[in-house]
Amino acid sequence: MQFMDAMKILSGERQLPPKYNAALGENRHCEGKRKLLLPERSETNLEVIRYLSGRGIDREIIKDCIDEGLLYESLPYHNCIFVGFDETGKAAYACYRATNGERLMGDAAGSDKRYAFRINRASSTLHVFESAIDLLSYATIMKMRTGEWRSEPMVSLGGVYAPNPD
């Protein structure tokens, strides 16, 4: 679903379309399934740790994300790769961010934004962020304030995009 369509549904301006149309025999969630193409992993995550800690992200949070498979360093460019998983635990989304100072970012081919980068799934409160680094920054602030950063779920939209209305 496009971002603007989702916002209209959340605001009540539009209704959520049905997942399955029995009359047409179609399931729109099965249309156009693409395979996620994850970048190759580096043997280390040194550049990712250097880059994110240089941005002020807590090292324990970085390490926990790496250990959980949510974050890794790619080859050959050593970008940060932020991974999102589906209900079965399979990687279904990935976005990247350059670690070399260039403003290079985007989604991996085949990414499904329904499974964006997120941490801490269960709670009644959800914190929503534009980017994965914004999410990690907030987690760092929560850890600094309370010592706890895993108590509430956080999700990154993977960049906010509004298409040209023309």
Side-chain angles (χ1 to χ4, degrees), residues 97-140:
R97 177 73 160 103
T99 59
N100 62 2
E102 291 184 29
R103 188 146 173 85
L104 175 68
M105 59 194 85
D107 291 345
S111 285
D112 185 340
K113 282 202 183 260
R114 291 178 295 162
Y115 303 105
F117 177 76
R118 63 184 172 266
I119 56 177
N120 313 331
R121 295 180 188 211
S123 178
S124 60
T125 302
L126 175 64
H127 300 276
V128 180
F129 303 90
E130 179 184 3
S131 74
I133 293 176
D134 293 344
L135 181 156
L136 294 175
S137 296
Y138 179 78
T140 298

Side-chain angles (χ1 to χ4, degrees), residues 3-164:
F3 176 76
M4 295 305 289
D5 293 334
M7 291 296 101
K8 288 177 183 175
I9 289 167
L10 289 172
S11 70
E13 189 176 321
R14 284 183 41 197
Q15 289 188 349
L16 183 64
K19 289 182 181 178
Y20 181 77
N21 185 332
L24 298 175
E26 66 183 22
N27 183 340
R28 65 181 178 82
H29 287 301
C30 292
E31 294 174 6
K33 274 272 198 201
R34 297 181 302 171
K35 182 178 180 186
L36 175 63
L37 300 176
L38 288 171
E40 183 180 351
R41 290 178 185 261
S42 172
E43 289 184 18
T44 71
N45 291 292
L46 297 175
E47 285 302 308
V48 165
I49 293 167
R50 179 198 57 77
Y51 174 75
L52 292 175
S53 60
R55 298 279 310 259
I57 308 299
D58 182 86
R59 283 182 179 261
E60 176 191 2
I61 294 172
I62 297 167
K63 287 283 293 154
D64 283 357
C65 288
I66 290 169
D67 292 345
E68 292 176 24
L70 298 170
L71 171 64
Y72 71 92
E73 182 175 319
S74 71
L75 287 176
Y77 303 109
H78 303 281
N79 294 327
C80 297
I81 308 298
F82 300 95
V83 183
F85 295 88
D86 66 14
E87 299 88 355
T88 67
K90 181 180 177 189
Y93 170 84
C95 66
Y96 56 89
R97 177 73 160 103
T99 59
N100 62 2
E102 291 184 29
R103 188 146 173 85
L104 175 68
M105 59 194 85
D107 291 345
S111 285
D112 185 340
K113 282 202 183 260
R114 291 178 295 162
Y115 303 105
F117 177 76
R118 63 184 172 266
I119 56 177
N120 313 331
R121 295 180 188 211
S123 178
S124 60
T125 302
L126 175 64
H127 300 276
V128 180
F129 303 90
E130 179 184 3
S131 74
I133 293 176
D134 293 344
L135 181 156
L136 294 175
S137 296
Y138 179 78
T140 298
I141 291 168
M142 292 305 297
K143 183 179 176 199
M144 289 169 54
R145 286 185 179 166
T146 67
E148 178 58 47
W149 61 277
R150 293 184 167 275
S151 61
E152 295 179 346
M154 297 170 238
V155 63
S156 162
L157 297 177
V160 176
Y161 168 74
N164 187 345

